[in-house]
C-alpha cells in the first residue's frame, strides 16, 4: 500500500530468460533449499496437480520436512500481520504457466487462506500438526491410486499412470482440510483433529475407490481382483508410515493422560 517513485520505464526481452545466480531470491517465488547448503536455492515450479492444498504449508509457512520456504513477500506479510488477523480474511493467490521449452502447456491458479500466528512457538506447533495431516493425505492419495490401478488391470505395472485418481482425492478432501486448519487454530489440542482427519481420509479413500472401479468399463472388471484390491486398500490405509506416526502420537497422549489422572 505504499507509494513509490517509478524506477523502470522500459525493459528488454532476453532470449532464454535470465539465470539468477549467487543465491539471489525473487521475493514472489517460493524455494527449495539444499539441506547441505552446497547448491543454490531452487525455485519451486508450478506443475499439474500441485495447486491443491497439498502445497498449502510450503507456500504459506514453509515445509521443513521438504526444505521448502515460502516466498519472501508471504513471510513478510504474515510477520507484519501476526496477531491482527483473527480470521483467514487474507488469501494467497498462486498462479502461472506450466512451460515446456518456451511453450505454454497450461495455466494454473489457486487461492488458499493465510493463517498468521502471533507466537513463533505456536506457529511451529501449528506447522508441525499441519505437516502430519498433509503427510497422511499424500500417503493415502498414493495408496488409492495404486489400488485402483491394481483393481482395474490384470498387469497394473504395465498400465499407464492415471493422475486423475489421485487428483480426485485432493479435490474431495480440500474443504475438510481447511476446516481442520480452522479447528487447529481454535483449539490447542490437535488430537481430536488428528482422529477426525484419519477417519475422514480413510472413508473417502474407500468411497473414491468404489467410484473409480465401478465406473470402469465392464470388460475390465474382475470381481475377485476388485474385492482383493479393496480389502488390501483398507489394510494399507492403516498400516502406512504416516498413519502409524499419528496412531503413535494419539496412543502416547492417551497413556500419558491415564498416568496423570489421580487414583480414586
Amino acid at each position: 500500500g505504499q507509494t513509490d517513485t517509478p524506477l523502470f520505464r522500459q525493459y528488454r526481452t532476453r532470449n532464454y530468460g535470465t539465470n539468477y545466480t549467487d543465491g539471489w531470491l525473487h521475493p514472489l517465488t517460493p524455494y527449495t533449499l539444499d539441506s547441505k547448503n552446497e547448491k543454490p536455492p531452487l525455485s519451486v515450479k508450478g506443475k499439474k496437480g500441485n495447486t491443491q492444498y497439498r502445497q498449502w504449508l510450503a507456500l504459506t509457512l514453509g515445509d521443513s520436512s521438504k526444505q521448502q520456504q515460502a516466498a519472501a513477500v508471504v513471510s513478510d506479510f504474515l510477520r507484519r500481520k501476526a496477531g491482527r488477523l483473527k480470521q483467514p480474511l487474507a488469501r494467497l493467490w498462486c498462479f502461472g504457466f506450466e512451460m515446456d521449452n518456451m511453450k505454454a502447456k497450461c495455466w494454473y491458479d489457486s487461492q488458499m487462506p493465510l493463517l498468521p500466528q502471533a507466537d513463533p512457538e505456536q506457529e511451529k506447533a501449528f506447522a508441525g500438526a499441519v505437516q502430519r495431516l498433509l503427510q497422511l493425505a499424500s500417503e493415502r492419495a498414493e495408496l488409492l491410486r495404486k489400488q485402483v490401478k491394481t483393481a482395474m488391470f490384470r498387469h497394473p505395472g504395465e498400465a499407464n499412470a492415471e493422475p486423475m485418481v489421485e487428483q480426485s482425492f485432493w479435490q474431495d478432501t480440500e474443504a475438510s482440510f481447511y476446516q481442520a486448519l480452522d479447528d487447529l487454530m481454535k483449539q490447542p489440542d490437535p488430537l481430536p483433529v488428528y482422529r477426525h482427519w484419519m477417519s475422514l481420509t480413510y472413508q473417502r479413500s474407500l468411497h473414491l475407490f468404489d467410484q473409480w472401479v465401478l465406473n470402469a468399463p465392464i470388460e475390465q472388471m474382475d470381481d475377485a481382483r476388485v474385492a482383493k484390491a479393496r480389502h488390501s486398500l483398507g489394510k494399507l490405509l492403516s498400516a502406512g508410515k504416516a498413519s502409524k506416526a499419528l496412531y503413535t502420537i494419539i496412543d502416547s497422549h492417551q497413556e500419558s493422560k491415564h498416568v496423570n489422572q489421580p487414583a480414586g
Side-chain angles (χ1 to χ4, degrees):
Q2 298 180 1
T3 58
D4 200 357
T5 303
L7 300 179
F8 300 93
R9 297 182 181 179
Q10 60 183 346
Y11 75 92
R12 178 170 61 91
T13 300
R14 180 174 181 175
N15 289 340
Y16 306 108
T18 300
N19 289 322
Y20 298 106
T21 58
D22 299 328
W24 186 86
L25 305 182
H26 196 291
L28 300 181
T29 302
Y31 285 87
T32 299
L33 308 178
D34 178 30
S35 58
K36 297 182 180 179
N37 293 322
E38 297 176 352
K39 300 179 181 179
L42 182 65
S43 61
V44 176
K45 308 295 192 299
K47 57 184 179 180
K48 186 175 182 180
N50 265 9
T51 53
Q52 286 94 359
Y53 71 84
R54 72 176 82 185
Q55 291 289 90
W56 184 87
L57 185 61
L59 295 176
T60 59
L61 300 178
D63 189 346
S64 59
S65 68
K66 299 179 180 178
Q67 295 293 316
Q68 290 184 332
Q69 70 176 26
V73 67
V74 177
S75 300
D76 180 68
F77 175 83
L78 291 177
R79 187 163 47 249
R80 288 187 291 109
K81 295 294 183 180
R84 285 184 280 172
L85 287 179
K86 302 301 182 183
Q87 297 178 352
L89 301 178
R91 300 183 68 83
L92 176 64
W93 185 17
C94 307
F95 53 86
F97 284 104
E98 179 184 1
M99 303 295 292
D100 180 16
N101 193 25
M102 299 296 290
K103 179 181 179 181
K105 297 176 62 178
C106 190
W107 169 265
Y108 298 108
D109 74 77
S110 179
Q111 294 189 30
M112 53 190 67
L114 287 173
L115 304 172
Q117 301 283 339
D119 181 75
E121 288 300 318
Q122 184 182 11
E123 179 178 296
K124 183 178 180 181
F126 177 77
V130 175
Q131 190 177 89
R132 296 183 186 100
L133 299 183
L134 291 173
Q135 288 171 345
L136 183 71
S138 297
E139 182 177 85
R140 291 186 166 177
E142 184 178 1
L143 288 171
L144 171 65
R145 177 184 60 80
K146 288 182 177 179
Q147 291 309 113
V148 167
K149 198 173 178 182
T150 299
M152 295 176 62
F153 300 100
R154 181 177 300 176
H155 303 290
E158 300 175 3
N160 294 328
E162 179 48 83
M164 288 306 297
V165 174
E166 206 166 337
Q167 292 275 58
S168 68
F169 176 90
W170 294 105
Q171 294 172 357
D172 189 74
T173 57
E174 184 169 26
S176 298
F177 172 76
Y178 289 126
Q179 180 59 54
L181 295 189
D182 187 59
D183 293 339
L184 286 172
M185 291 279 291
K186 293 177 179 178
Q187 59 184 17
D189 184 8
L191 296 187
V193 179
Y194 291 162
R195 294 192 190 97
H196 179 71
W197 185 245
M198 293 180 75
S199 175
L200 181 137
T201 52
Y202 182 92
Q203 297 298 331
R204 299 315 299 171
S205 297
L206 293 177
H207 175 75
L208 289 169
F209 175 91
D210 293 340
Q211 279 192 338
W212 280 101
V213 174
L214 294 179
N215 288 330
I218 191 66
E219 60 270 14
Q220 293 183 7
M221 295 290 287
D222 183 314
D223 292 344
R225 189 173 66 227
V226 170
K228 183 178 179 180
R230 193 183 194 279
H231 179 71
S232 296
L233 175 61
K235 294 175 62 177
L236 291 169
L237 290 172
S238 299
K241 182 179 179 180
S243 296
K244 289 182 177 179
L246 279 182
Y247 281 131
T248 301
I249 292 173
I250 294 172
D251 291 342
S252 64
H253 278 73
Q254 288 177 338
E255 292 175 1
S256 175
K257 184 177 179 181
H258 290 312
V259 170
N260 294 328
Q261 283 181 345

